Amino acid sequence: MKEDQTRRRRPRSDGRKNRERLLETARTAFGSGEIDIPLDEIARRTGVGIGTLYRHFANRDALIEAVYRDELNRLAAAATRLAETHAPVEALRAWLNLFVDYIATKQVIAPALNSLIGGTDAIYADSRTVLTAAVGGLVTRAIESGDIRPDIEPVDLLCALGGVSNYATGPGWEPRAKRLVDVLIAGSRPEG
Amino acid sequence: MKEDQTRRRRPRSDGRKNRERLLETARTAFGSGEIDIPLDEIARRTGVGIGTLYRHFANRDALIEAVYRDELNRLAAAATRLAETHAPVEALRAWLNLFVDYIATKQVIAPALNSLIGGTDAIYADSRTVLTAAVGGLVTRAIESGDIRPDIEPVDLLCALGGVSNYATGPGWEPRAKRLVDVLIAGSRPEG
Amino acid sequence: MKEDQTRRRRPRSDGRKNRERLLETARTAFGSGEIDIPLDEIARRTGVGIGTLYRHFANRDALIEAVYRDELNRLAAAATRLAETHAPVEALRAWLNLFVDYIATKQVIAPALNSLIGGTDAIYADSRTVLTAAVGGLVTRAIESGDIRPDIEPVDLLCALGGVSNYATGPGWEPRAKRLVDVLIAGSRPEG
Amino acid sequence: MKEDQTRRRRPRSDGRKNRERLLETARTAFGSGEIDIPLDEIARRTGVGIGTLYRHFANRDALIEAVYRDELNRLAAAATRLAETHAPVEALRAWLNLFVDYIATKQVIAPALNSLIGGTDAIYADSRTVLTAAVGGLVTRAIESGDIRPDIEPVDLLCALGGVSNYATGPGWEPRAKRLVDVLIAGSRPEG
DNA sequence: CATGAATGAGGGTTCATTCAT
DNA sequence: GATGAATGAACCCTCATTCAT
């Protein structure tokens, strides 16, 4: 696993591009709720053979995992950035809104969330850590600054937002999810 | 003679009982996250032949729909009852907690919620109406009594709770979902 | 699970016949050297759907195993019969000739033999026992009657014959295999 | 793996050497029973690209054939040598033991034997000639010297030994195969 | 009404072979 | 010459659905 990095020859530029494009197709498909999309179809939409898909991703799970990991890394990076540039509550609010944006078109986060609490799937262990760390840090800062109650469970905020974006896929759902961000933050105030 | 018996008797109790037991098996399975359980397996667990399952439910979707409708009806009934016996906010809070209880063991609600806003699946049209009416009524009463802001979208409360119960399947998730009920109501107050 | 035994109904005569016919097709195919015949093709030749094949045999290995077991049982039965009706050496000779007849058209025995000594596949444990017992008994009798040397390894006789029938599939190979039976017995005599 | 590094520097590997090494890898693999080893894997183990394998061997069959031909040539050479240095029966016995040694680790001979009699595969025509000539010559000498019966079919001796080495892959099989050489020669004596 | 054998489309995966670099 | 990415046919297996008994 780790040594793969070391050992693996530099992929041809073609190969890299294909990997990227397959990920993109998968991300889009999963995001549109086509969770059961056949791998054949992903390959077809990407314009490559099914064998090429398998060259890049050992099996269905590997592809799904890659999509997750990708998304989560972007979110984690954003958390760090926001913490450095905003006041505690606003950083949290901004990141939650970003979180909404991400899961907006890509419900891919779901399975990662799924394992946030009792997940047994070892594959998501990393993902869990990454995401938990991201919200956790922002919430801690907001607790320390006295803007939200200390008994708030960071992960639950994500779950709640995940719920909205998950169940509400129609047009106009996004503003509503963002309004929920405000409700959640308001409800989490010390006096709240 | 014979005709008398035919005419007079209501559908065999056997048939009814089987239908009920199949529903129960399916509900339990779906609730345990076994969303992809084969129909064969549902029949087997129920102790009937697969043909019997098909006698009662035309196809997989019909079975799933029946499970949904069943659950939703119970929730709707509870909403009515609570509205008659509790103060507005408390009725809402109580019903949301009940909602949590339901989805606790049965995430089956998910797909129904899924179509709450933009769903195109005609099958859930009824379900949607039922559920929307249930929360809608309770929220309206709470708005009228001035306990929550008028711009709160009832359905979003459900989505948020659905998210927690959906993503958090481990032990101890339930108290957390109920704490979220309080956060949501607190965040929905006029001054919130 | 446990109740399976209890619950299992007598297979329909249809089902039985299909199972028998699938076995027959498989036996013939394997025997003709078509060891890699796709299961699809076996189903097609039998005139049933692929699903039917899978209803009777859980997977490729299960089918192969069934064919083996079938053959071996017949051979075992023959050994018992011959021991009761022939003099020791002649019983052995007759059975070896029979063995030739069997493997003549069905190299299916190969894998079973394969595990006779160092085989690790648990599936063939039974088969091994059956076959070893069959020759073993006959050879022991011949040793006791002083017709063959005590250091003869029964299984090797089978391997040798298996080799001929395995490698020599052309016309006229059968008389040669039977001549080998005589060579082997002659070479196994005390004075030999 | 590690050898990657070693290999990498080599500016232009000698075509001959690659061919040789690929043959060696294939021989070893086939000999270990990995009859279905993917060509990818053979290339990988050899430390060359799959394309290189295809440069040397037009397709899977060509590689297999090359392995066979190689082995058979060595056996043929040994037959000539032994005939010049041993008495007839002993030359035969020695060669048969050698034959055992060869097939000991390499069951590759099997398919070649397979076509010894009725094989229709044109590719093995040569191989057949080579092998038949080798045993044939030795047996003829032994018949002429009166040490074995004239009705012995040389090829059957090989088949028998092939059977043992083929089916008996466990430890200790080799002495047994050699004991069978003696049984076969004893059983082939004129008075046998 | 109940049963379960039969069906076959379709999904995941493997691997021989080709070909652009 | 060498490389390895790409291809896709073909295989194993699952499962929703039908229908004869």
Side-chain angles (χ1 to χ4, degrees):
Chain A
M1 277 301 209
K2 337 102 201 279
E3 12 174 23
D4 269 359
Q5 319 274 341
T6 322
R7 227 172 7 85
R8 187 179 297 153
R9 318 272 168 104
R10 177 170 58 78
R12 285 193 191 174
S13 57
D14 254 1
R16 270 213 208 163
K17 205 174 298 176
N18 278 343
R19 200 193 125 94
E20 231 49 55
R21 286 167 56 223
L22 283 163
L23 269 180
E24 172 66 24
T25 305
R27 178 171 24 238
T28 305
F30 293 156
S32 317
E34 299 178 277
I35 267 307
D36 283 339
I37 186 174
L39 297 188
D40 283 16
E41 179 62 16
I42 291 180
R44 207 188 54 71
R45 288 190 194 171
T46 308
V48 303
I50 180 66
T52 300
L53 187 155
Y54 272 93
R55 159 165 288 272
H56 291 292
F57 306 99
N59 51 36
R60 178 171 252 273
D61 282 350
L63 172 59
I64 292 178
E65 190 194 346
V67 172
Y68 291 158
R69 202 179 295 277
D70 224 44
E71 294 297 289
L72 291 172
N73 286 339
R74 300 188 202 195
L75 280 171
T80 306
R81 201 177 56 245
L82 288 170
E84 291 168 353
T85 58
H86 289 63
V89 192
E90 293 319 312
L92 177 60
R93 190 188 312 272
W95 190 81
L96 289 178
N97 277 312
L98 199 61
F99 183 78
V100 168
D101 285 341
Y102 269 106
I103 52 186
T105 47
K106 19 204 144 152
Q107 271 87 339
V108 217
I109 308 296
L113 283 172
N114 194 14
S115 66
L116 274 176
I117 290 123
T120 50
D121 259 347
I123 4 174
Y124 294 120
D126 280 9
S127 309
R128 182 194 321 197
T129 308
V130 167
L131 197 54
T132 304
V135 226
L138 295 167
V139 167
T140 300
R141 282 211 327 151
I143 291 176
E144 284 169 356
S145 70
D147 289 315
I148 74 170
R149 292 202 309 270
D151 65 335
I152 291 301
E153 180 63 62
V155 160
D156 288 347
L157 302 178
L158 305 189
C159 290
L161 293 171
V164 181
S165 70
N166 191 23
Y167 300 135
T169 52
W173 77 270
E174 216 164 332
R176 286 171 35 206
K178 298 200 170 171
R179 209 178 319 147
L180 184 61
V181 169
D182 293 333
V183 169
L184 287 169
I185 291 187
S188 301
R189 291 238 178 81
E191 311 303 282
Chain B
M1 280 283 216
K2 290 174 173 192
E3 314 182 354
D4 271 354
Q5 296 181 352
T6 314
R7 228 169 359 92
R8 175 176 296 190
R9 287 179 200 257
R10 57 204 178 78
R12 269 198 197 174
S13 57
D14 254 3
R16 278 232 192 146
K17 203 175 298 178
N18 277 344
R19 199 193 125 94
E20 231 48 56
R21 286 168 56 224
L22 283 163
L23 270 180
E24 172 65 22
T25 306
R27 174 168 31 236
T28 304
F30 293 155
S32 317
E34 300 179 279
I35 268 304
D36 284 339
I37 185 175
L39 296 187
D40 281 17
E41 180 62 15
I42 292 180
R44 206 189 54 74
R45 289 191 194 171
T46 308
V48 304
I50 180 64
T52 301
L53 186 155
Y54 272 91
R55 159 158 294 273
H56 291 292
F57 307 99
N59 52 32
R60 177 171 253 273
D61 283 349
L63 171 60
I64 292 178
E65 189 194 345
V67 172
Y68 292 157
R69 202 181 297 278
D70 222 43
E71 293 297 288
L72 292 171
N73 286 340
R74 299 189 202 194
L75 280 171
T80 306
R81 197 177 59 244
L82 287 169
E84 290 167 353
T85 57
H86 290 62
V89 190
E90 294 318 312
L92 176 60
R93 190 189 312 271
W95 191 82
L96 289 179
N97 278 314
L98 200 60
F99 182 77
V100 169
D101 285 341
Y102 269 106
I103 53 186
T105 47
K106 18 206 145 154
Q107 274 86 339
V108 220
I109 307 294
L113 284 172
N114 194 12
S115 66
L116 274 175
I117 289 120
T120 49
D121 260 347
I123 12 173
Y124 294 120
D126 280 9
S127 310
R128 181 193 323 198
T129 308
V130 167
L131 196 54
T132 303
V135 226
L138 293 167
V139 168
T140 299
R141 283 214 322 154
I143 291 175
E144 284 168 357
S145 71
D147 288 316
I148 74 170
R149 292 202 308 269
D151 65 336
I152 290 301
E153 179 62 60
V155 160
D156 289 347
L157 302 177
L158 306 189
C159 290
L161 293 171
V164 180
S165 70
N166 190 25
Y167 299 136
T169 52
W173 79 269
E174 219 165 329
R176 285 171 37 203
K178 300 202 169 169
R179 208 177 322 146
L180 186 61
V181 168
D182 293 333
V183 170
L184 287 169
I185 291 187
S188 301
R189 291 235 180 82
E191 61 272 33
Chain C
M1 292 296 186
K2 345 112 206 255
E3 3 170 35
D4 268 358
Q5 318 276 342
T6 321
R7 226 160 29 72
R8 184 177 300 152
R9 318 279 166 103
R10 179 171 56 80
R12 286 190 191 176
S13 58
D14 254 1
R16 276 216 203 158
K17 206 175 298 177
N18 278 343
R19 201 193 123 95
E20 229 51 53
R21 285 166 57 222
L22 283 163
L23 270 180
E24 172 65 24
T25 305
R27 177 168 28 234
T28 304
F30 293 156
S32 318
E34 300 179 279
I35 266 306
D36 283 339
I37 185 174
L39 296 188
D40 284 15
E41 178 62 16
I42 291 179
R44 206 187 55 70
R45 289 190 194 170
T46 309
V48 304
I50 181 65
T52 300
L53 186 155
Y54 273 91
R55 160 164 287 273
H56 291 292
F57 307 98
N59 53 32
R60 177 170 254 274
D61 282 351
L63 172 59
I64 293 178
E65 191 193 345
V67 172
Y68 290 158
R69 203 180 294 278
D70 224 43
E71 293 297 289
L72 292 171
N73 286 339
R74 299 189 202 196
L75 280 172
T80 306
R81 200 177 57 244
L82 288 169
E84 291 167 352
T85 56
H86 290 63
V89 192
E90 293 319 310
L92 176 60
R93 190 189 312 272
W95 190 82
L96 289 178
N97 277 312
L98 200 61
F99 182 76
V100 168
D101 285 341
Y102 269 107
I103 53 185
T105 45
K106 11 200 149 151
Q107 273 86 340
V108 218
I109 307 295
L113 282 173
N114 195 12
S115 67
L116 272 176
I117 289 123
T120 49
D121 261 347
I123 5 171
Y124 294 121
D126 281 9
S127 309
R128 183 192 318 197
T129 307
V130 167
L131 197 54
T132 302
V135 225
L138 294 167
V139 168
T140 299
R141 283 213 324 152
I143 291 175
E144 285 168 355
S145 71
D147 289 314
I148 75 170
R149 291 202 310 270
D151 65 334
I152 291 301
E153 180 63 61
V155 160
D156 289 346
L157 302 177
L158 306 188
C159 290
L161 293 171
V164 181
S165 69
N166 190 23
Y167 300 136
T169 51
W173 77 269
E174 218 163 331
R176 285 170 37 203
K178 299 201 169 171
R179 210 177 319 147
L180 186 61
V181 169
D182 293 333
V183 169
L184 287 168
I185 291 188
S188 301
R189 291 235 179 85
E191 310 302 282
Chain D
M1 326 230 171
K2 305 186 154 178
E3 352 172 46
D4 271 357
Q5 268 102 33
T6 317
R7 208 162 41 68
R8 173 169 303 171
R9 273 291 145 254
R10 191 174 39 241
R12 177 67 92 92
S13 43
D14 183 351
R16 258 311 147 98
K17 205 176 294 177
N18 277 344
R19 199 193 125 94
E20 230 49 54
R21 287 166 57 224
L22 283 163
L23 270 179
E24 172 64 24
T25 306
R27 175 168 30 234
T28 304
F30 293 156
S32 317
E34 300 178 277
I35 267 306
D36 285 338
I37 186 175
L39 296 188
D40 282 16
E41 179 62 15
I42 291 179
R44 205 188 57 70
R45 288 190 193 171
T46 308
V48 303
I50 179 68
T52 300
L53 186 155
Y54 271 91
R55 160 161 294 275
H56 291 292
F57 307 98
N59 54 33
R60 178 172 251 273
D61 282 350
L63 172 60
I64 293 178
E65 188 194 346
V67 172
Y68 292 158
R69 202 181 297 277
D70 225 43
E71 293 297 288
L72 292 171
N73 285 339
R74 299 188 202 195
L75 280 172
T80 306
R81 200 176 57 245
L82 288 170
E84 291 167 353
T85 57
H86 289 63
V89 190
E90 292 319 311
L92 176 60
R93 189 188 314 270
W95 190 82
L96 289 178
N97 277 312
L98 199 61
F99 183 77
V100 169
D101 285 341
Y102 270 106
I103 53 185
T105 46
K106 16 203 143 151
Q107 274 87 339
V108 218
I109 308 295
L113 284 172
N114 194 13
S115 65
L116 273 176
I117 290 124
T120 50
D121 260 347
I123 9 173
Y124 294 121
D126 281 10
S127 309
R128 181 195 321 196
T129 307
V130 167
L131 196 56
T132 304
V135 226
L138 294 166
V139 167
T140 300
R141 282 211 328 150
I143 291 176
E144 285 168 355
S145 70
D147 289 315
I148 74 168
R149 292 202 308 268
D151 64 336
I152 290 303
E153 180 61 62
V155 160
D156 289 347
L157 302 177
L158 306 189
C159 290
L161 291 172
V164 180
S165 70
N166 190 26
Y167 300 135
T169 52
W173 78 268
E174 216 165 330
R176 285 170 38 202
K178 299 200 170 172
R179 209 179 320 147
L180 185 61
V181 169
D182 293 333
V183 168
L184 287 169
I185 291 187
S188 301
R189 292 236 179 85
E191 60 271 31

